[in-house]
Amino acid sequence: MNAHDERGTTMTGVDPSRLDDQQLMKELETIHRTRHDTLLYGSNDALRAHNERMAQLEGEYLRRNPRRPVAPGRTREGARERTGSDAATPTASGT
């Protein structure tokens, strides 16, 4: 794999496709735990790198788990039921 993305910045970390499931989950837990501080206090470059790495890791997780369980309360319909909102936002089946 090329170590540079299309914008020429260096990729940090191991290619997510090379991580086993346990390593991938550990990486995801770490990046989610550090997200808030990066957003609030990181430089623009740090935030950009964080965004790119998070997208890579989450994309790999979704690729491996296309049929992951989705909690009904985490869908648009479930959220509207929770709040009692009658918003007219259309939803696709399964979302």
Side-chain angles (χ1 to χ4, degrees):
M1 178 177 156
N2 186 346
H4 298 280
D5 72 10
E6 60 277 0
R7 287 180 279 170
T9 58
T10 303
M11 183 178 118
T12 58
V14 175
D15 180 347
S17 66
R18 298 183 66 194
L19 299 171
D20 65 32
D21 288 344
Q22 185 177 3
Q23 291 168 324
L24 179 61
M25 288 307 294
K26 184 176 185 213
E27 289 281 322
L28 283 165
E29 289 167 2
T30 298
I31 203 158
H32 285 119
R33 188 175 57 251
T34 61
R35 180 66 183 171
H36 190 72
D37 282 344
T38 304
L39 175 64
L40 294 179
Y41 309 114
S43 67
N44 288 341
D45 287 341
L47 185 57
R48 187 176 307 110
H50 203 272
N51 289 342
E52 291 172 7
R53 182 64 174 169
M54 183 178 284
Q56 292 167 352
L57 293 167
E58 288 178 347
E60 181 62 19
Y61 177 83
L62 293 172
R63 185 190 69 75
R64 293 183 193 186
N65 301 282
R67 299 184 193 278
R68 73 192 194 293
V70 176
R74 299 299 298 179
T75 64
R76 288 181 185 162
E77 184 177 333
R80 281 193 299 272
E81 288 175 8
R82 237 183 6 256
T83 62
S85 173
D86 290 325
T89 305
T91 61
S93 65
T95 58

